[in-house]
Amino acid sequence: MWNEYRKMAFTSIRGAKFRSALTMFGIIIGVSSVVTIVSLGEGVKQQVTTQAGEISDSLVVIRPGKEQEASAFSLDVLRTYVDNNTGSLSEKDWQDTLEVDNVSSSVPVGIVSGIATFEDAEYNGNIIASTARLPRLLNQNIEFGEYFTDSGSTKKKVAVIGRDVAEQLFGENVPIGKSLQIRGEKFIVQGVFEQQDSGTFAAININNSIMIPYESAKDIGGNIQLLQIYVEAEDATQVDAVSDDVRETLIKNHAGQEDFTILEREEALEATNAVFYQLTVFTAGVAFISFIVGGIGIMNIMFATVSERTREIGIRKAIGATNSQILGQFVMESALLSILGGFFGVLLAFVANAIIRVTTDLQPVTTWQVVAIAAGLSVVTGIVSGILPAAKAAAKDPIASLRTDA
Amino acid sequence: MAEQRPIISIEDVSKVYGFGDATTVALDEVSLDINKGEFIAVMGPSGSGKTTLMNIIGMLDRPSHGIYKLNGRDVSRQKRNKQAKTRRDNIGYIFQSFNLLPRLTALENVALPLAYKRVPQTRRLKAAARALDQVGLSDKEYNLPTQLSGGQLQRVAIARALVNGPSIIIADEPTGNLDSTSARVVMELLSEIHKLGNTVLMVTHNPSLTRYADRILYMLDGSIVYDEASAVGEMPTRVQRAVQALRTSDDDEKLASVSAMMETMPEPKSSDDEDKGKKKKRRKSARKKRGKKAKK
Ligand SMILES: Nc1ncnc2c1ncn2[C@@H]1O[C@H](COP(=O)(O)OP(=O)(O)OP(=O)(O)O)[C@@H](O)[C@H]1O
Ligand SMILES: [Mg+2]
């Protein structure tokens, strides 16, 4: 029967296109403004999160020195490090974090002092000592060749380099198989990273970095300053416990001092979340009001429709429609108006987002969740605001209805 | 006839409108049995309760008092939704003003009662096409009501009344808005429906149409004052005389005296005067009615 109601509803909506459009207007405006605001918020949030260094849910980041505030947004991690160059993290700290319960991996990021050379050319970039897991942790893909593995190759003299290193030091895109020199030792290039667009890896620009295995870096002597240690919990729910245990272990190592900083994603995003909580409350308010207004608009028109179509209702009843069937027909009509309004509202929001994208720096992101919520609210609004008018229609006396001129 | 159980049986049915001083008794303890296959013409002056009686029999309205049994079952106290279903399955309605839905094509209009019965669309449209064919309008399936003449509209309405296969057809002044040619077509259709074994109840102001009926009811002031069997194809003598009287005399008699005469009417074979008076009254009110319509 609902299929029948749908057809009837479409017939009468099509029969009064202009009025139907006016009826939907409230819902269209409501849905489109809510979807646009949420998309803008989501876009800003994603940008901030990207800048926060792509810390995954299950990751704890340890940095040397005590930072006053957890500033994961800061793109100046390297400078922070250089400024209060305490060198407070040691290889022992890294090894010990591996022993902490529920830790699945721990990855050091060390800066190796030295300059890379190739033939006569010099390159003054970052030489970074780390382990096999780093690229995956950072979602950094290899464009050519491959990254080094932990087994077998840990002491090999191999390097994976950024795009700028390849171009500026070797003067070609894929210098795989060629070797560069660090502290007099030859390192064979076995991979090139994909171009990195923004400062994901904390502040380190992958494009001008040379990655070598940690063990090989130790072999060539010189100083390895641990810039940070990524400790990965087995899953996101254990991240707090892991963070506490790591802190305890490190304080013990550091003779009771907490001269390091532990960041969790949660903390890092707390400030962001506070902002977005306010935005969400505001949006919910806008949504609530616009759906109420839209719903009242629909209810108003539905009441008018029911009065105008009194005779139609009388006829339908006279030829066998039950009260419930009349009710169903009008509720369906109201719901359909609202759903169509929601649909056009989402379309309008997409148009608005496209315009925003072209005319401003903002990158609105429309998630399917917000579209689903808007659609759901439209349905609910349509049904709720249709019930009273539909009940009025269903309760009409068939004879009196047939006698009216409408 | 006596041993047959009546398809429609109403006992002491009254219909009262309004309250207190403004009370109108539209039906006054009417009792009536109708057997399956009868073609009944209901006549009587305007306001005598014909439509009210039809609405109650057609279950569009509920009696204020009394019992209505359809096929032996008391339906007057059924729940509204149940009544709607009983109406849908048993009764086909034909109105003076056609009452088609303006936005639907002829075919869709005819198919609509089946939609409420949840018949699937393809079967529904097939049945509707058949019903339209029955009334000779198979070439007008896709016309909207605005694209049809009055006579054609009424034939579509008849097809719609028939599509459900109801056993009772109620037609309240079906030819009231039609010219005599269209009226004839409509009456022939009703007559055919009757011949197929259906029960037909028709309200009419036109005495000559009673020749299609096999039983004639006269109503006055909410009561059935006369109930006469007549052979199909013949006008009963009383009606013939009334028609003649209408042609010859044009006096205006006071309504009150007419009703008084009707009420004291002793036997069906009563005097002609009473008959004439009644018909005059009918015509007068019909004239009044036409005047009302013209104003609209
Ligand atoms: N809804 C109503 N409210 C009040 N009075 C009503 C209502 N419907 C009908 N009546 C009254 O009931 C009486 C019978 O009306 P009804 O429509 O049955 O007459 P009728 O015989 O069909 O007349 P006509 O030949 O003009 O169609 C009239 O006096 C009318 O005024
Ligand atoms: Mg009437």
Side-chain angles (χ1 to χ4, degrees):
Chain A
M1 202 66 216
W2 287 105
N3 208 22
E4 299 303 331
Y5 299 153
R6 207 201 60 230
K7 279 182 214 151
M8 289 174 195
F10 263 120
T11 308
S12 51
I13 287 173
R14 236 182 287 123
K17 286 196 196 73
F18 185 64
R19 158 185 283 213
S20 302
L22 282 182
T23 311
M24 288 178 219
F25 200 66
I27 295 287
I28 293 178
I29 296 298
V31 168
S32 62
S33 54
V34 167
V35 171
T36 307
I37 293 172
V38 172
S39 304
L40 273 175
E42 187 64 29
V44 173
K45 195 172 180 172
Q46 286 196 5
Q47 275 170 323
V48 171
T49 311
T50 306
Q51 287 165 358
E54 300 212 338
I55 306 175
S56 94
D57 296 356
S58 52
L59 213 56
V60 173
V61 184
I62 311 167
R63 288 184 186 153
K66 186 68 192 162
E67 287 173 22
Q68 288 308 310
E69 265 184 45
S71 57
F73 307 139
S74 154
L75 300 182
D76 292 335
V77 180
L78 192 55
R79 200 174 319 126
T80 310
Y81 161 71
V82 173
D83 286 351
N84 43 340
N85 184 4
T86 56
S88 65
L89 290 180
S90 67
E91 189 184 337
K92 183 176 184 315
D93 291 335
W94 164 45
Q95 296 293 354
D96 287 354
T97 57
L98 282 167
E99 306 302 319
V100 171
D101 286 346
N102 299 320
V103 167
S104 68
S105 72
S106 176
V107 177
V109 178
I111 293 273
V112 180
S113 54
I115 288 169
T117 58
F118 171 67
E119 291 168 357
D120 291 336
E122 272 189 8
Y123 188 77
N124 194 3
N126 304 310
I127 301 169
I128 291 168
S130 190
T131 56
R133 191 151 171 75
L134 187 67
R136 279 243 238 101
L137 226 55
L138 300 177
N139 284 324
Q140 176 64 47
N141 291 330
I142 312 291
E143 190 163 21
F144 305 108
E146 55 192 11
Y147 200 69
F148 44 81
T149 56
D150 276 337
S151 58
S153 67
T154 43
K155 284 204 167 189
K156 275 190 190 161
K157 303 287 186 290
V158 292
V160 178
I161 59 177
R163 289 294 298 270
D164 291 355
V165 183
E167 276 162 31
Q168 287 167 34
L169 188 58
F170 294 95
E172 58 177 297
N173 282 335
V174 193
I176 288 176
K178 299 199 168 164
S179 50
L180 49 79
Q181 280 204 328
I182 303 168
R183 294 178 155 265
E185 287 276 358
K186 280 192 170 178
F187 284 78
I188 299 169
V189 175
Q190 75 168 38
V192 179
F193 287 114
E194 256 179 22
Q195 176 82 28
Q196 180 202 32
D197 292 325
S198 62
T200 50
F201 174 26
I204 296 174
N205 186 349
I206 294 272
N207 298 335
N208 59 26
S209 293
I210 298 162
M211 302 275 177
I212 57 175
Y214 195 87
E215 295 300 323
S216 320
K218 273 165 65 182
D219 262 13
I220 58 171
N223 193 9
I224 304 175
Q225 295 275 2
L226 277 183
L227 193 60
Q228 49 194 8
I229 301 170
Y230 289 112
V231 179
E232 207 176 1
E234 269 158 6
D235 69 70
T237 58
Q238 292 159 335
V239 102
D240 284 338
V242 164
S243 156
D244 288 347
D245 291 352
V246 165
R247 178 173 286 115
E248 213 172 289
T249 308
L250 263 57
I251 288 178
K252 220 175 285 167
N253 280 357
H254 294 211
Q257 278 188 302
E258 194 175 341
D259 55 351
F260 54 88
T261 304
I262 294 183
L263 290 177
E264 280 175 41
R265 178 195 176 84
E266 286 302 307
E267 291 167 10
L269 294 180
E270 228 161 58
T272 328
N273 284 341
V275 172
F276 284 103
Y277 177 72
Q278 285 166 0
L279 185 69
T280 308
V281 170
F282 171 73
T283 312
V286 172
F288 185 71
I289 291 168
S290 55
F291 277 104
I292 296 259
V293 171
I296 290 172
I298 291 181
M299 194 187 292
N300 187 23
I301 298 291
M302 286 308 294
F303 270 122
T305 303
V306 166
S307 304
E308 259 176 32
R309 284 156 63 188
T310 300
R311 192 181 178 90
E312 174 193 327
I313 294 163
I315 295 172
R316 287 180 184 276
K317 284 191 164 190
I319 61 168
T322 62
N323 288 2
S324 339
Q325 285 171 329
I326 297 289
L327 184 89
Q329 181 194 343
F330 281 92
V331 167
M332 176 58 106
E333 194 169 321
S334 158
L336 209 60
L337 276 172
S338 186
I339 293 168
L340 283 175
F343 175 76
F344 289 122
V346 171
L347 280 190
L348 190 62
F350 276 114
V351 172
N353 284 346
I355 292 171
I356 290 172
R357 218 168 278 137
V358 171
T359 55
T360 71
D361 287 341
L362 296 167
Q363 296 289 319
V365 175
T366 310
T367 60
W368 65 266
Q369 285 97 332
V370 69
V371 173
I373 289 172
L377 280 178
S378 308
V379 176
V380 171
T381 306
I383 291 174
V384 168
S385 49
I387 283 177
L388 280 183
K392 188 182 167 197
K396 275 189 188 291
D397 171 37
I399 304 161
S401 305
L402 281 172
R403 239 194 307 253
T404 57
D405 287 324
Chain B
M1 218 150 114
E3 65 275 8
Q4 197 186 349
R5 192 177 64 178
I7 186 168
I8 291 166
S9 166
I10 62 178
E11 288 166 35
D12 296 332
V13 162
S14 300
K15 182 73 193 180
V16 183
Y17 288 111
F19 304 93
D21 288 345
T23 307
T24 313
V25 181
L27 283 183
D28 189 7
E29 298 193 342
V30 172
S31 294
L32 178 68
D33 281 351
I34 298 171
N35 291 311
K36 190 166 165 33
E38 286 191 297
F39 189 142
I40 297 181
V42 182
M43 301 191 67
S46 185
S48 57
K50 306 181 294 296
T51 296
T52 308
L53 181 64
M54 292 303 111
N55 287 342
I56 284 173
I57 292 176
M59 297 177 76
L60 285 174
D61 206 351
R62 291 161 171 245
S64 309
H65 309 284
I67 293 170
Y68 171 21
K69 284 185 185 158
L70 183 68
N71 285 318
R73 241 176 333 127
D74 185 355
V75 292
S76 43
R77 278 169 226 348
Q78 277 181 345
K79 292 231 173 68
R80 289 193 187 277
N81 272 341
K82 179 90 173 91
Q83 275 190 339
K85 282 174 192 154
T86 312
R87 173 166 71 236
R88 182 188 71 198
D89 295 338
N90 294 288
I91 293 159
Y93 240 103
I94 299 163
F95 303 89
Q96 177 176 2
S97 48
F98 323 129
N99 281 340
L100 300 174
L101 292 184
R103 288 204 196 99
L104 302 186
T105 63
L107 191 68
E108 288 166 338
N109 262 297
V110 174
L112 198 55
L114 296 176
Y116 287 118
K117 218 175 171 176
R118 295 165 197 231
V119 176
Q121 172 140 2
T122 39
R123 264 213 285 150
R124 203 158 80 205
L125 291 180
K126 232 180 262 171
R130 230 177 296 126
L132 272 180
D133 190 40
Q134 230 177 313
V135 299
L137 284 178
S138 38
D139 56 332
K140 303 286 184 200
E141 283 180 5
Y142 300 104
N143 287 37
L144 290 171
T146 46
Q147 298 161 338
L148 293 170
S149 74
Q152 288 168 338
L153 287 173
Q154 196 59 298
R155 279 147 72 194
V156 173
I158 291 173
R160 181 179 65 183
L162 291 178
V163 77
N164 246 339
S167 48
I168 301 165
I169 299 286
I170 294 179
D172 193 348
E173 300 185 42
T175 60
N177 282 353
L178 301 180
D179 62 80
S180 56
T181 325
S182 304
R184 214 187 125 77
V185 176
V186 164
M187 286 314 299
E188 292 298 337
L189 278 171
L190 284 178
S191 180
E192 259 169 57
I193 295 164
H194 172 227
K195 280 176 199 146
L196 290 173
N198 296 297
T199 311
V200 180
L201 278 97
M202 177 186 71
V203 174
T204 184
H205 283 301
N206 185 346
S208 64
L209 296 186
T210 57
R211 89 184 106 96
Y212 293 95
D214 55 13
R215 183 175 168 191
I216 294 157
L217 302 181
Y218 299 89
M219 291 193 71
L220 187 69
D221 288 345
S223 299
I224 297 172
V225 292
Y226 198 77
D227 183 349
E228 186 181 37
S230 96
V232 175
E234 276 176 24
M235 261 193 274
T237 41
R238 280 163 59 88
V239 179
Q240 277 176 4
R241 286 193 202 135
V243 172
Q244 241 148 32
L246 279 173
R247 247 184 244 128
T248 50
S249 106
D250 214 9
D251 320 329
D252 266 349
E253 254 176 292
K254 292 238 161 64
L255 284 173
S257 62
V258 175
S259 17
M261 244 191 290
M262 292 294 291
E263 269 155 25
T264 52
M265 180 175 65
E267 279 288 292
K269 277 179 198 149
S270 65
S271 68
D272 291 354
D273 311 11
E274 172 261 310
D275 224 12
K276 279 180 212 154
K278 179 171 172 287
K279 285 301 149 194
K280 260 180 225 149
K281 180 190 167 187
R282 186 205 57 73
R283 203 171 63 132
K284 204 166 110 182
S285 17
R287 217 184 286 139
K288 253 198 252 162
K289 231 173 101 164
R290 253 174 255 127
K292 248 190 275 166
K293 255 174 213 144
K295 262 181 242 157
K296 284 186 194 173

